[in-house]
Amino acid sequence: MADHTPHESTPASGSSSGSASGSTAGRRPGAGSGPACAETSGGEPGAAPGSGSASVSVRPRSGAAVAPAALTVEDVREAQKILSGVSRSTALEGSRHLSGLLGAPVHLKCENLQRTGSFKIRGAYVRIAGLSPQERAAGVVAASAGNHAQGVALAASLLGVRSTVFMPVGAPLPKVAATREYGAEVRLHGHVVDETLAAAQEYARETGAVFIHPFDHRDIIAGQGTVGLEILEQCPEVRTIVVGIGGGGLAAGIAVAVKALRPDVRIIGVQAAGAAAYPPSLAAGHPVSIEAPTTMADGIKVGRPGDVPFEIIGELVDEVRTVTEDELSSALLLCLERAKLVVEPAGASPVAALLSRPGAFEGPVVAVLSGGNVDPLLMQRTLRHGMAAAGRYLSLRLRLTDRPGALATLLGVMSVVDANVLDVSHVRTDPRLGLTEAEVELHLETKGPEHCTEVGAALREAGYTVMG
C-alpha cells in the first residue's frame, strides 16, 4: 500500500506517545522550562487583526472551560490508545522567522507529515475502529475532495473494512490516485462537495454501508483531539494554539483536550474569508449555511459548521479569525521557503493568521499545519500568487511603438533596475492596436514591494505607460 507522505521528523522536544501528563493540568502559566517552548513575552492577545482579517470572540471570559457533555478529555485519551501504532506523533518544529516576527516562540505542529498527508487518519481510524462487526461487514462510505478520502481509505484498509469514497469530478488527480492506492473504491460524482456528499449518503441508504462523516461525529472529533494531547506533551508552556477551521472537527477536538488540561491556553480558529461559516453561525447561536464558499483552501472550504463541533467550538474556542487569499498564499510560500515544509493552503491558514497580525498572539504559539496534500498545479499558481502578494512577482502590460529595437530598449530598462524577466508576450497584430503600436506583457521576478515601485518609476521615467 502506498503512503504518499514524507518521512516523519523528530519532535522538537521529545516524542509524545501515551496520554498527556496530568502535571500539565495544574501548571501555572509561565512555569517550567524547555528548549522548545521557553516562556517569553508575547504580543497583544486582544489586538484587532490586520487588514483584510477579522476576529470574532466566541467564548465568554467567565465560567469554567468545560466541554459539552457529549465529549471529554477521557474520550480523547481513549482515542490516543486506539491510534497507538497507527497515527504518527508528528514533529513540533520551531520557526525562527515567525518567532522573530511575533517576538515569542512559534512552533509548527506538522500534521502535513502525518500518514496520508493530513490529520484526517486520526479521526477516521477511531470512527471505523468503533464500528460493530455487523457494521464493518457492511463496509463504509465517505465523501471528500481529498484529505478525508485518503484518511478513510487507509483506516478502512488497516482494519480490513471495505470502503467506497465519493469524490467530486474535478478532484485533483493525485488525490484520486492516492485514495485508490490506499484501498478505496473511488466514485466520481458531482462538481461540488455538497453534491458528492448527497451521493455518498444515498449510497449508504441503499447499501447499508456506514457513512463516515468528515467532522460531525464525536469519534471523529475525539481522534482529531489527539493532536491537542501531543501539543501539550511536546510544548507544555504553550499559551496559544492556532488551528484552521472548516467543519470544525480538528479545532473542536483540540479544544476538548487542551481546555480540560490547560484552561489558560488560548485556542484561536482560522477560516478563509471567502468560506467563513463560523462567524455568522456563532452570531446566530446555531449553525447556518453560507452560499457558494470560495477559497483556494479546499481543506477548509465548508459551507456549514457541523452540529457537534459547533457546540464545542462555541463553548471552548476563544476566537475565530479570517484570512484573505493573499495571506494564505503568502503563508504557503513562507512554509516552503523558511520551514522547508510542503503545506496545502488550508494547512497554512494558522500561519496566515500569524502573519496578518503578529502582535495579537501571546507566546509560545503552536500553529497546526493540518495537511500537505496540495495539487502540484495549485501549488504552482498559489506560489506565484504568494510571490505577487509579497512583492516578488510583478506582471504588467504596456504599449510601445512598433519599430525595430523597441522591445530590446524596453528590456534594457528592466536590466538597469535589475528586474529578472521570466516571460515576455509581444503582440503586434490585434484589432485593439493602432497601426504602429505593439503591446507587451512582462512577467518579472522582483525583490519586494520597494523594488516593484522602483520598476514602475523607471518605466515612467523612460516614457512608458503601464496599462495593468
Side-chain angles (χ1 to χ4, degrees):
M1 182 181 303
D3 193 337
H4 304 270
T5 312
H7 68 278
E8 183 178 1
S9 303
T10 304
S13 56
S15 65
S16 58
S17 60
S19 301
S21 172
S23 64
T24 60
R27 187 179 296 274
R28 172 178 56 85
S33 61
C37 294
E39 179 70 22
T40 65
S41 175
E44 303 167 322
S51 175
S53 301
S55 176
V56 181
S57 179
V58 303
R59 185 168 66 85
R61 301 282 76 83
S62 60
V66 180
L71 199 65
T72 70
V73 68
E74 294 307 320
D75 295 314
V76 181
R77 283 178 165 149
E78 185 61 30
Q80 192 172 52
K81 294 176 184 177
I82 294 171
L83 289 168
S84 177
V86 176
S87 66
R88 294 171 176 165
S89 175
T90 52
L92 191 74
E93 297 286 351
S95 171
R96 290 185 180 180
H97 179 76
L98 289 172
S99 296
L101 190 65
L102 269 68
V106 176
H107 306 274
L108 307 175
K109 178 61 173 169
C110 299
E111 284 296 290
N112 59 311
L113 302 181
Q114 183 57 263
R115 297 185 72 175
T116 74
S118 86
F119 69 97
K120 290 289 190 176
I121 181 66
R122 297 175 184 261
Y125 190 90
V126 172
R127 174 75 172 102
I128 298 172
L131 299 179
S132 68
Q134 293 79 10
E135 289 173 322
R136 292 194 188 192
V140 298
V141 60
S144 168
N147 288 347
H148 181 59
Q150 294 174 69
V152 168
L154 179 57
S157 293
L158 293 174
L159 290 164
V161 177
R162 184 179 71 258
S163 64
T164 302
V165 175
F166 285 77
M167 303 182 75
V169 172
L173 293 179
K175 294 185 178 183
V176 174
T179 303
R180 287 192 173 118
E181 289 179 22
Y182 285 129
E185 176 191 348
V186 175
R187 300 191 179 191
L188 301 179
H189 183 91
H191 295 280
V192 296
V193 175
D194 287 344
E195 295 174 354
T196 307
L197 184 65
Q201 291 171 328
E202 179 62 24
Y203 177 88
R205 286 190 292 269
E206 292 177 351
T207 66
V210 179
F211 178 68
I212 307 299
H213 200 284
F215 49 81
D216 204 9
H217 192 281
R218 65 187 310 278
D219 290 347
I220 294 286
I221 296 171
Q224 322 303 28
T226 58
V227 175
L229 294 182
E230 290 180 15
I231 290 173
L232 293 183
E233 292 165 352
Q234 293 169 315
C235 188
E237 302 305 317
V238 63
R239 297 304 303 275
T240 305
I241 296 173
V242 189
V243 56
I245 296 181
L250 178 60
I254 289 174
V256 168
V258 172
K259 288 295 187 178
L261 302 175
R262 285 283 308 281
D264 60 298
V265 174
R266 287 178 58 79
I267 299 178
I268 297 176
V270 183
Q271 292 207 285
Y278 265 86
S281 297
L282 292 164
H286 58 83
V288 298
S289 298
I290 59 172
E291 294 185 6
T294 304
T295 177
M296 71 177 73
D298 58 354
I300 54 175
K301 186 180 177 181
V302 179
R304 182 187 185 279
D307 293 329
V308 179
F310 176 80
E311 181 184 0
I312 296 170
I313 287 172
E315 183 68 27
L316 299 182
V317 170
D318 293 278
E319 59 180 300
V320 174
R321 293 173 177 263
T322 60
V323 292
T324 67
E325 300 298 284
D326 281 352
E327 289 164 346
L328 284 168
S329 56
S330 295
L332 188 148
L333 180 63
L334 183 146
C335 288
L336 185 63
E337 286 192 326
R338 298 295 185 128
K340 313 306 177 188
L341 293 169
V342 175
V343 182
E344 61 189 275
S349 59
V351 175
L354 299 184
L355 294 175
S356 71
R357 182 70 180 189
F361 302 88
E362 182 180 4
V365 176
V366 172
V368 181
L369 307 183
S370 58
N373 292 318
V374 57
D375 176 56
L377 294 177
L378 175 62
M379 170 72 84
Q380 184 181 40
R381 294 195 302 269
T382 304
L383 289 179
R384 180 168 290 187
H385 189 200
M387 291 179 68
R392 294 172 49 196
Y393 181 88
L394 180 62
S395 295
L396 48 87
R397 185 166 50 90
L398 45 85
R399 289 185 183 178
L400 42 77
T401 302
D402 186 15
R403 57 178 176 76
L407 181 58
T409 301
L410 171 62
L411 296 181
V413 175
M414 296 298 95
S415 177
V416 170
V417 293
D418 199 25
N420 186 27
V421 179
L422 301 176
D423 190 32
V424 178
S425 175
H426 186 203
V427 178
R428 301 176 64 240
T429 56
D430 190 288
R432 297 177 294 113
L433 299 175
L435 185 62
T436 61
E437 287 184 321
E439 186 172 281
V440 175
E441 184 174 353
L442 295 177
H443 299 279
L444 309 171
E445 182 182 2
T446 48
K447 301 173 184 179
E450 293 182 358
H451 192 205
C452 291
T453 301
E454 182 183 348
V455 170
L459 287 170
R460 288 190 295 274
E461 185 176 344
Y464 295 101
T465 300
V466 178
M467 301 172 61

PDB file of all heavy atoms in Angstrom, residues 1 115 121 125 128 140 150-163 178-185:
ATOM      1  N   MET A   1       0.851  -1.203   0.000  1.00  0.00           N
ATOM      2  CA  MET A   1       0.000   0.000   0.000  1.00  0.00           C
ATOM      3  C   MET A   1       0.881   1.246   0.000  1.00  0.00           C
ATOM      4  O   MET A   1       1.802   1.370   0.798  1.00  0.00           O
ATOM      5  CB  MET A   1      -0.855  -0.009   1.270  1.00  0.00           C
ATOM      6  CG  MET A   1      -1.810   1.163   1.346  1.00  0.00           C
ATOM      7  SD  MET A   1      -2.745   1.079   2.867  1.00  0.00           S
ATOM      8  CE  MET A   1      -3.485  -0.528   2.703  1.00  0.00           C
ATOM      9  N   ARG A 115       0.508  10.350   8.362  1.00  0.00           N
ATOM     10  CA  ARG A 115       0.163   9.358   7.351  1.00  0.00           C
ATOM     11  C   ARG A 115      -1.006   9.869   6.505  1.00  0.00           C
ATOM     12  O   ARG A 115      -1.938  10.474   7.031  1.00  0.00           O
ATOM     13  CB  ARG A 115      -0.201   8.025   8.006  1.00  0.00           C
ATOM     14  CG  ARG A 115       0.941   7.394   8.764  1.00  0.00           C
ATOM     15  CD  ARG A 115       0.565   6.029   9.289  1.00  0.00           C
ATOM     16  NE  ARG A 115       0.474   5.026   8.219  1.00  0.00           N
ATOM     17  CZ  ARG A 115       0.248   3.736   8.439  1.00  0.00           C
ATOM     18  NH1 ARG A 115       0.066   3.279   9.671  1.00  0.00           N
ATOM     19  NH2 ARG A 115       0.188   2.899   7.421  1.00  0.00           N
ATOM     20  N   ILE A 121      -6.467  10.882   9.217  1.00  0.00           N
ATOM     21  CA  ILE A 121      -6.368   9.464   9.562  1.00  0.00           C
ATOM     22  C   ILE A 121      -6.723   9.232  11.021  1.00  0.00           C
ATOM     23  O   ILE A 121      -7.264   8.173  11.385  1.00  0.00           O
ATOM     24  CB  ILE A 121      -4.935   8.939   9.271  1.00  0.00           C
ATOM     25  CG1 ILE A 121      -4.804   7.456   9.608  1.00  0.00           C
ATOM     26  CG2 ILE A 121      -3.892   9.738  10.017  1.00  0.00           C
ATOM     27  CD1 ILE A 121      -5.618   6.536   8.761  1.00  0.00           C
ATOM     28  N   TYR A 125      -9.787   6.615  11.630  1.00  0.00           N
ATOM     29  CA  TYR A 125      -9.456   5.307  12.210  1.00  0.00           C
ATOM     30  C   TYR A 125     -10.249   5.055  13.493  1.00  0.00           C
ATOM     31  O   TYR A 125     -10.780   3.959  13.706  1.00  0.00           O
ATOM     32  CB  TYR A 125      -7.955   5.217  12.492  1.00  0.00           C
ATOM     33  CG  TYR A 125      -7.507   3.820  12.875  1.00  0.00           C
ATOM     34  CD1 TYR A 125      -7.099   2.925  11.901  1.00  0.00           C
ATOM     35  CD2 TYR A 125      -7.506   3.396  14.204  1.00  0.00           C
ATOM     36  CE1 TYR A 125      -6.694   1.633  12.233  1.00  0.00           C
ATOM     37  CE2 TYR A 125      -7.109   2.115  14.550  1.00  0.00           C
ATOM     38  CZ  TYR A 125      -6.705   1.237  13.559  1.00  0.00           C
ATOM     39  OH  TYR A 125      -6.328  -0.038  13.897  1.00  0.00           O
ATOM     40  N   ILE A 128     -13.955   4.216  12.528  1.00  0.00           N
ATOM     41  CA  ILE A 128     -14.158   2.898  11.933  1.00  0.00           C
ATOM     42  C   ILE A 128     -13.830   1.792  12.938  1.00  0.00           C
ATOM     43  O   ILE A 128     -14.500   0.754  12.972  1.00  0.00           O
ATOM     44  CB  ILE A 128     -13.324   2.757  10.651  1.00  0.00           C
ATOM     45  CG1 ILE A 128     -13.781   3.799   9.618  1.00  0.00           C
ATOM     46  CG2 ILE A 128     -13.465   1.356  10.054  1.00  0.00           C
ATOM     47  CD1 ILE A 128     -12.901   3.875   8.379  1.00  0.00           C
ATOM     48  N   VAL A 140     -17.879   0.814   4.618  1.00  0.00           N
ATOM     49  CA  VAL A 140     -18.038   2.226   4.940  1.00  0.00           C
ATOM     50  C   VAL A 140     -18.025   3.041   3.654  1.00  0.00           C
ATOM     51  O   VAL A 140     -17.497   2.605   2.621  1.00  0.00           O
ATOM     52  CB  VAL A 140     -16.926   2.737   5.890  1.00  0.00           C
ATOM     53  CG1 VAL A 140     -16.972   1.987   7.215  1.00  0.00           C
ATOM     54  CG2 VAL A 140     -15.544   2.600   5.249  1.00  0.00           C
ATOM     55  N   GLN A 150      -8.610  10.087   1.732  1.00  0.00           N
ATOM     56  CA  GLN A 150      -7.411   9.290   1.939  1.00  0.00           C
ATOM     57  C   GLN A 150      -7.356   8.720   3.356  1.00  0.00           C
ATOM     58  O   GLN A 150      -6.939   7.568   3.560  1.00  0.00           O
ATOM     59  CB  GLN A 150      -6.174  10.138   1.660  1.00  0.00           C
ATOM     60  CG  GLN A 150      -6.075  10.540   0.193  1.00  0.00           C
ATOM     61  CD  GLN A 150      -4.938  11.513  -0.079  1.00  0.00           C
ATOM     62  OE1 GLN A 150      -3.772  11.155   0.006  1.00  0.00           O
ATOM     63  NE2 GLN A 150      -5.292  12.748  -0.405  1.00  0.00           N
ATOM     64  N   GLY A 151      -7.800   9.505   4.327  1.00  0.00           N
ATOM     65  CA  GLY A 151      -7.817   9.018   5.703  1.00  0.00           C
ATOM     66  C   GLY A 151      -8.746   7.835   5.876  1.00  0.00           C
ATOM     67  O   GLY A 151      -8.400   6.833   6.524  1.00  0.00           O
ATOM     68  N   VAL A 152      -9.949   7.924   5.306  1.00  0.00           N
ATOM     69  CA  VAL A 152     -10.913   6.825   5.400  1.00  0.00           C
ATOM     70  C   VAL A 152     -10.394   5.604   4.652  1.00  0.00           C
ATOM     71  O   VAL A 152     -10.494   4.468   5.129  1.00  0.00           O
ATOM     72  CB  VAL A 152     -12.285   7.266   4.841  1.00  0.00           C
ATOM     73  CG1 VAL A 152     -13.208   6.063   4.650  1.00  0.00           C
ATOM     74  CG2 VAL A 152     -12.932   8.281   5.774  1.00  0.00           C
ATOM     75  N   ALA A 153      -9.834   5.806   3.457  1.00  0.00           N
ATOM     76  CA  ALA A 153      -9.340   4.687   2.661  1.00  0.00           C
ATOM     77  C   ALA A 153      -8.264   3.912   3.408  1.00  0.00           C
ATOM     78  O   ALA A 153      -8.305   2.668   3.475  1.00  0.00           O
ATOM     79  CB  ALA A 153      -8.801   5.198   1.327  1.00  0.00           C
ATOM     80  N   LEU A 154      -7.293   4.606   3.983  1.00  0.00           N
ATOM     81  CA  LEU A 154      -6.223   3.914   4.695  1.00  0.00           C
ATOM     82  C   LEU A 154      -6.732   3.282   5.983  1.00  0.00           C
ATOM     83  O   LEU A 154      -6.410   2.124   6.293  1.00  0.00           O
ATOM     84  CB  LEU A 154      -5.077   4.880   5.010  1.00  0.00           C
ATOM     85  CG  LEU A 154      -3.909   4.265   5.787  1.00  0.00           C
ATOM     86  CD1 LEU A 154      -3.323   3.058   5.052  1.00  0.00           C
ATOM     87  CD2 LEU A 154      -2.824   5.300   6.061  1.00  0.00           C
ATOM     88  N   ALA A 155      -7.551   4.016   6.753  1.00  0.00           N
ATOM     89  CA  ALA A 155      -8.075   3.475   8.010  1.00  0.00           C
ATOM     90  C   ALA A 155      -8.881   2.201   7.754  1.00  0.00           C
ATOM     91  O   ALA A 155      -8.733   1.199   8.468  1.00  0.00           O
ATOM     92  CB  ALA A 155      -8.938   4.522   8.713  1.00  0.00           C
ATOM     93  N   ALA A 156      -9.724   2.236   6.740  1.00  0.00           N
ATOM     94  CA  ALA A 156     -10.532   1.068   6.423  1.00  0.00           C
ATOM     95  C   ALA A 156      -9.656  -0.107   6.012  1.00  0.00           C
ATOM     96  O   ALA A 156      -9.884  -1.256   6.432  1.00  0.00           O
ATOM     97  CB  ALA A 156     -11.529   1.405   5.318  1.00  0.00           C
ATOM     98  N   SER A 157      -8.635   0.147   5.216  1.00  0.00           N
ATOM     99  CA  SER A 157      -7.743  -0.925   4.787  1.00  0.00           C
ATOM    100  C   SER A 157      -7.007  -1.542   5.971  1.00  0.00           C
ATOM    101  O   SER A 157      -6.868  -2.764   6.062  1.00  0.00           O
ATOM    102  CB  SER A 157      -6.732  -0.387   3.766  1.00  0.00           C
ATOM    103  OG  SER A 157      -7.368  -0.012   2.572  1.00  0.00           O
ATOM    104  N   LEU A 158      -6.538  -0.711   6.876  1.00  0.00           N
ATOM    105  CA  LEU A 158      -5.831  -1.223   8.050  1.00  0.00           C
ATOM    106  C   LEU A 158      -6.734  -2.083   8.927  1.00  0.00           C
ATOM    107  O   LEU A 158      -6.268  -3.015   9.591  1.00  0.00           O
ATOM    108  CB  LEU A 158      -5.273  -0.052   8.868  1.00  0.00           C
ATOM    109  CG  LEU A 158      -4.151   0.770   8.210  1.00  0.00           C
ATOM    110  CD1 LEU A 158      -3.804   1.976   9.075  1.00  0.00           C
ATOM    111  CD2 LEU A 158      -2.913  -0.093   7.975  1.00  0.00           C
ATOM    112  N   LEU A 159      -8.023  -1.780   8.925  1.00  0.00           N
ATOM    113  CA  LEU A 159      -8.975  -2.514   9.762  1.00  0.00           C
ATOM    114  C   LEU A 159      -9.707  -3.618   8.987  1.00  0.00           C
ATOM    115  O   LEU A 159     -10.585  -4.282   9.540  1.00  0.00           O
ATOM    116  CB  LEU A 159      -9.998  -1.529  10.347  1.00  0.00           C
ATOM    117  CG  LEU A 159      -9.434  -0.564  11.399  1.00  0.00           C
ATOM    118  CD1 LEU A 159     -10.379   0.607  11.623  1.00  0.00           C
ATOM    119  CD2 LEU A 159      -9.164  -1.296  12.715  1.00  0.00           C
ATOM    120  N   GLY A 160      -9.325  -3.800   7.734  1.00  0.00           N
ATOM    121  CA  GLY A 160      -9.939  -4.861   6.952  1.00  0.00           C
ATOM    122  C   GLY A 160     -11.381  -4.600   6.570  1.00  0.00           C
ATOM    123  O   GLY A 160     -12.180  -5.537   6.446  1.00  0.00           O
ATOM    124  N   VAL A 161     -11.728  -3.339   6.383  1.00  0.00           N
ATOM    125  CA  VAL A 161     -13.106  -2.949   6.054  1.00  0.00           C
ATOM    126  C   VAL A 161     -13.151  -2.426   4.618  1.00  0.00           C
ATOM    127  O   VAL A 161     -12.286  -1.658   4.197  1.00  0.00           O
ATOM    128  CB  VAL A 161     -13.615  -1.869   7.038  1.00  0.00           C
ATOM    129  CG1 VAL A 161     -15.016  -1.412   6.657  1.00  0.00           C
ATOM    130  CG2 VAL A 161     -13.588  -2.391   8.474  1.00  0.00           C
ATOM    131  N   ARG A 162     -14.155  -2.825   3.881  1.00  0.00           N
ATOM    132  CA  ARG A 162     -14.334  -2.344   2.513  1.00  0.00           C
ATOM    133  C   ARG A 162     -14.768  -0.874   2.544  1.00  0.00           C
ATOM    134  O   ARG A 162     -15.641  -0.488   3.319  1.00  0.00           O
ATOM    135  CB  ARG A 162     -15.397  -3.180   1.808  1.00  0.00           C
ATOM    136  CG  ARG A 162     -15.593  -2.821   0.322  1.00  0.00           C
ATOM    137  CD  ARG A 162     -16.645  -3.694  -0.339  1.00  0.00           C
ATOM    138  NE  ARG A 162     -17.994  -3.383   0.133  1.00  0.00           N
ATOM    139  CZ  ARG A 162     -18.662  -4.101   1.013  1.00  0.00           C
ATOM    140  NH1 ARG A 162     -18.119  -5.200   1.548  1.00  0.00           N
ATOM    141  NH2 ARG A 162     -19.883  -3.756   1.384  1.00  0.00           N
ATOM    142  N   SER A 163     -14.175  -0.079   1.680  1.00  0.00           N
ATOM    143  CA  SER A 163     -14.510   1.352   1.668  1.00  0.00           C
ATOM    144  C   SER A 163     -14.832   1.828   0.261  1.00  0.00           C
ATOM    145  O   SER A 163     -14.213   1.402  -0.720  1.00  0.00           O
ATOM    146  CB  SER A 163     -13.363   2.196   2.241  1.00  0.00           C
ATOM    147  OG  SER A 163     -12.202   2.097   1.438  1.00  0.00           O
ATOM    148  N   ALA A 178      -4.191   8.590  -5.010  1.00  0.00           N
ATOM    149  CA  ALA A 178      -3.755   8.170  -3.673  1.00  0.00           C
ATOM    150  C   ALA A 178      -4.872   7.451  -2.931  1.00  0.00           C
ATOM    151  O   ALA A 178      -4.640   6.440  -2.257  1.00  0.00           O
ATOM    152  CB  ALA A 178      -3.283   9.386  -2.876  1.00  0.00           C
ATOM    153  N   THR A 179      -6.106   7.947  -3.067  1.00  0.00           N
ATOM    154  CA  THR A 179      -7.239   7.307  -2.392  1.00  0.00           C
ATOM    155  C   THR A 179      -7.424   5.874  -2.891  1.00  0.00           C
ATOM    156  O   THR A 179      -7.674   4.951  -2.104  1.00  0.00           O
ATOM    157  CB  THR A 179      -8.524   8.136  -2.617  1.00  0.00           C
ATOM    158  OG1 THR A 179      -8.313   9.468  -2.142  1.00  0.00           O
ATOM    159  CG2 THR A 179      -9.703   7.532  -1.875  1.00  0.00           C
ATOM    160  N   ARG A 180      -7.298   5.687  -4.186  1.00  0.00           N
ATOM    161  CA  ARG A 180      -7.400   4.335  -4.745  1.00  0.00           C
ATOM    162  C   ARG A 180      -6.260   3.446  -4.232  1.00  0.00           C
ATOM    163  O   ARG A 180      -6.466   2.282  -3.889  1.00  0.00           O
ATOM    164  CB  ARG A 180      -7.372   4.402  -6.269  1.00  0.00           C
ATOM    165  CG  ARG A 180      -8.665   4.940  -6.894  1.00  0.00           C
ATOM    166  CD  ARG A 180      -8.699   4.708  -8.390  1.00  0.00           C
ATOM    167  NE  ARG A 180      -9.998   5.083  -8.949  1.00  0.00           N
ATOM    168  CZ  ARG A 180     -10.180   6.031  -9.840  1.00  0.00           C
ATOM    169  NH1 ARG A 180      -9.146   6.726 -10.306  1.00  0.00           N
ATOM    170  NH2 ARG A 180     -11.392   6.298 -10.303  1.00  0.00           N
ATOM    171  N   GLU A 181      -5.059   3.998  -4.177  1.00  0.00           N
ATOM    172  CA  GLU A 181      -3.911   3.211  -3.746  1.00  0.00           C
ATOM    173  C   GLU A 181      -4.023   2.815  -2.270  1.00  0.00           C
ATOM    174  O   GLU A 181      -3.487   1.778  -1.868  1.00  0.00           O
ATOM    175  CB  GLU A 181      -2.626   3.986  -3.988  1.00  0.00           C
ATOM    176  CG  GLU A 181      -2.268   4.103  -5.467  1.00  0.00           C
ATOM    177  CD  GLU A 181      -1.010   4.900  -5.699  1.00  0.00           C
ATOM    178  OE1 GLU A 181      -0.195   5.018  -4.772  1.00  0.00           O
ATOM    179  OE2 GLU A 181      -0.841   5.419  -6.823  1.00  0.00           O
ATOM    180  N   TYR A 182      -4.717   3.623  -1.494  1.00  0.00           N
ATOM    181  CA  TYR A 182      -4.931   3.264  -0.089  1.00  0.00           C
ATOM    182  C   TYR A 182      -6.020   2.197   0.066  1.00  0.00           C
ATOM    183  O   TYR A 182      -6.265   1.731   1.172  1.00  0.00           O
ATOM    184  CB  TYR A 182      -5.301   4.499   0.724  1.00  0.00           C
ATOM    185  CG  TYR A 182      -4.133   5.417   1.011  1.00  0.00           C
ATOM    186  CD1 TYR A 182      -4.225   6.781   0.734  1.00  0.00           C
ATOM    187  CD2 TYR A 182      -2.957   4.936   1.550  1.00  0.00           C
ATOM    188  CE1 TYR A 182      -3.164   7.634   0.989  1.00  0.00           C
ATOM    189  CE2 TYR A 182      -1.887   5.776   1.800  1.00  0.00           C
ATOM    190  CZ  TYR A 182      -1.995   7.121   1.524  1.00  0.00           C
ATOM    191  OH  TYR A 182      -0.941   7.957   1.771  1.00  0.00           O
ATOM    192  N   GLY A 183      -6.674   1.821  -1.008  1.00  0.00           N
ATOM    193  CA  GLY A 183      -7.574   0.679  -0.958  1.00  0.00           C
ATOM    194  C   GLY A 183      -9.044   0.955  -1.167  1.00  0.00           C
ATOM    195  O   GLY A 183      -9.853   0.021  -1.116  1.00  0.00           O
ATOM    196  N   ALA A 184      -9.435   2.199  -1.409  1.00  0.00           N
ATOM    197  CA  ALA A 184     -10.858   2.511  -1.558  1.00  0.00           C
ATOM    198  C   ALA A 184     -11.310   2.372  -3.009  1.00  0.00           C
ATOM    199  O   ALA A 184     -10.528   2.542  -3.944  1.00  0.00           O
ATOM    200  CB  ALA A 184     -11.146   3.934  -1.079  1.00  0.00           C
ATOM    201  N   GLU A 185     -12.585   2.073  -3.180  1.00  0.00           N
ATOM    202  CA  GLU A 185     -13.217   2.195  -4.484  1.00  0.00           C
ATOM    203  C   GLU A 185     -13.653   3.653  -4.621  1.00  0.00           C
ATOM    204  O   GLU A 185     -14.434   4.158  -3.807  1.00  0.00           O
ATOM    205  CB  GLU A 185     -14.436   1.281  -4.597  1.00  0.00           C
ATOM    206  CG  GLU A 185     -15.185   1.449  -5.920  1.00  0.00           C
ATOM    207  CD  GLU A 185     -16.527   0.751  -5.945  1.00  0.00           C
ATOM    208  OE1 GLU A 185     -16.798  -0.065  -5.026  1.00  0.00           O
ATOM    209  OE2 GLU A 185     -17.319   1.025  -6.852  1.00  0.00           O
TER     210      GLU A 185
END
